[in-house]
Every structure is written in structure tokens, then in C-alpha cells.
Amino acid sequence: MKKDIKTTEAIFPMPVLLIATYNDDGSVNVMNAAWGTMVDRDIVALNLTETHKTVENIKKRKAFTISIADAAHVVEADYFGMSSGNKIKDKLSAAGLTATRATNVDAPVINELPVCIECEFIEYQNGTYGLGVIGKVVNVSAEESVLKNGNVDISLLNAIAFDPYTHGYYKVTERVGNAFKDGLKIK
């Protein structure tokens, strides 16, 4: 029997996305954003409030990158979620990571993370149920170590997901089925 629990943050897993931007002085700001998703094949939505330094930077530079956090960098990813860019000037350096300029947008690529999504800023939605930052994916790059047959292999990436029930991070690694194929057994 199901029992009612006291939470509204109930969708699991939530991706651990590291959003990187440049500050006015050229230093790198990174934040941990678990509330992000694809809303179309090349459009991302990040549920971020305008109080975040990251949102201010995105609006100014018209660009940002999204790195998928992996198990090897869980400490850094958590730090980026606990520390405010409004208070700490260069969170990337404080975490001991490095960045290079993205090829296609005015935003940094975190060198140590294996997958990076470069995005152009489209708009900010701030209505009651607005999505926050909306961006267009213009490039995705991945280290060869996480590629198999030219695509990212999740079992090699060791991406982490956030569990809002227990505030834990979990590795996403094992394939358990085949999309658009396994369901044919019922059809």
C-alpha cells in the first residue's frame, strides 16, 4: 500500500548540471542546477531564479555552457551548489578546476568534465510557472573516453543524479532496456 509522504520535489532522478558563465571581470562562475531539462531537440530550460549570479551573467553574455556532472567530481559539483557566485568571485578556481573558452559561445568549458553543451541564451521566463533560462544548444562536445560508436555511453560517463528525497547523489550507469524497442513486446 502506498503511503503519503511530505514532499513536493518528487521527480527522481534529477540531473546534476553544472552551468558555467563568465563574470564581468572574466573569471568563471559555475553553479549546480538540478532543475534543468530539454524542452525540444535543441532547446534547454533551466529553472533558475534571477537572484543567481549565473542568470545575471547569462543575460549579459547571452551564452552559457552545461556540463554533466560525473562521479569523479561529486565534491566539486556539490560545492558549486552550496556556494554563491554573488559572494565568491571565482568558484571554479576555488574548486581546483580549470576552463577554456567555448568554441561557439561566450562561455567557459570546464576542462575536467567529459561532456559540455554550449548554449545561446534565448530568453528568461519569470512568470509564476515560467521556466527561467531558455537556451539553444549550438554544440555538444565529449571526451573520447566516454564515447562509443560516436555517441556518449552513459556507462562510461558515470553521470550523477540528485535524489531530492534524501539529498543524495547517485551514479547513473547501468542500461536496463532499449527505448522504442522493448515496448514492442506488448504491442
Side-chain angles (χ1 to χ4, degrees), residues 14-16 68-71 73-74 77 158-162 169-172:
M14 298 174 85
V16 179
I68 299 173
D70 62 0
H73 297 95
V74 70
N158 287 318
I160 57 173
F162 173 66
Y169 294 110
Y170 293 85
K171 273 198 307 188
V172 180

Side-chain angles (χ1 to χ4, degrees), residues 18 30 32 70-82 91-92 94-97 112-113:
L18 301 180
V30 184
N32 178 328
D70 62 0
H73 297 95
V74 70
V75 170
E76 294 88 344
D78 195 47
Y79 167 76
F80 293 138
M82 297 170 42
K91 290 174 23 176
L92 187 75
L97 301 179
E112 292 79 7
L113 295 171

Side-chain angles (χ1 to χ4, degrees), residues 134-156:
I134 309 297
K136 179 176 178 56
V137 176
V138 297
N139 188 50
V140 178
S141 59
E143 293 290 336
E144 288 185 36
S145 62
V146 299
L147 296 178
K148 185 175 183 181
N149 300 322
N151 292 308
V152 174
D153 183 323
I154 297 299
S155 64
L156 298 173

